[in-house]
Amino acid sequence: MLVAIGSDHGGFLLKEEIKKLLAEENIAFEDFGTHSIASVDYPDIAKKVGEAVAAGQYTRGILICGTGIGISIAANKIKGIRAALCHDVFSAKMTREHNDTNVLAMGERVIGPGLARMIVSTWLATDFVGGRHGDRVAKISQLES
Ligand code: RB5
């Protein structure tokens, strides 16, 4: 497992918290920025992380902005990326089992760090179940071509 993580300024503090969680769980990661609360554009971060995951350089990506909405919309424009915006543990589990998502998005201004930690741990630990869900994910991929 190798995780690419990134945020805009609106998600910077939560990104730092999630980096602590990854270190505690001995999960290797690379931080694609941003590195302060100075204003940046979330599509630029989504592009860096999304392209690195889509290229197969990283197993999964985690993206954080203020709401999680803009950065997930941007990530989903990249071919091969299935990004899910999750603010509850059930969705985090189901989106791995059914959608094989390779990017998790969250909003720092929406949830607290405790819930965000549980969402990340669940999302990273849950496997795709395949079967009929694999057929459906393949149909998502067909929409890209
Ligand atoms: C930045 O102010 C904010 O718009 C951004 O972090 C995000 O919430 C966009 O969807």
Side-chain angles (χ1 to χ4, degrees):
M1 176 70 72
L2 180 57
V3 172
I5 188 167
S7 76
D8 75 352
H9 55 291
F12 170 70
L13 294 174
L14 184 55
K15 172 169 68 68
E16 297 307 296
E17 184 66 32
I18 298 304
K19 282 165 58 183
K20 282 187 216 162
L21 169 71
L22 296 174
E24 287 162 19
E25 296 195 354
N26 291 315
I27 295 169
F29 65 88
E30 183 167 336
D31 184 353
F32 283 72
T34 190
H35 301 292
S36 77
I37 57 167
S39 184
V40 295
D41 296 333
Y42 58 81
D44 297 336
I45 307 295
K47 178 174 163 57
K48 285 183 193 171
V49 168
E51 287 182 347
V53 172
Q57 295 160 353
Y58 296 84
T59 325
R60 307 266 190 91
I62 297 173
L63 286 169
I64 306 168
C65 68
T67 61
I69 297 170
I71 211 157
S72 60
I73 291 172
N76 274 316
K77 299 293 181 190
I78 297 166
K79 189 172 182 180
I81 292 301
R82 290 179 301 284
L85 172 58
C86 295
H87 288 138
D88 66 273
V89 173
F90 176 77
S91 297
K93 183 171 169 63
M94 295 309 293
T95 197
R96 281 291 311 134
E97 287 189 354
H98 287 192
N99 313 125
D100 197 18
T101 45
N102 49 13
V103 169
L104 171 68
M106 297 182 295
E108 179 187 307
R109 297 170 185 161
V110 182
I111 54 171
L115 177 55
R117 279 173 161 260
M118 290 180 70
I119 288 168
V120 169
S121 293
T122 300
W123 185 76
L124 289 175
T126 304
D127 291 329
F128 180 47
V129 298
R132 67 184 186 280
H133 299 292
D135 299 338
R136 292 165 186 163
V137 170
K139 288 191 175 188
I140 294 174
S141 300
Q142 286 169 17
L143 294 173
E144 293 177 327
S145 54

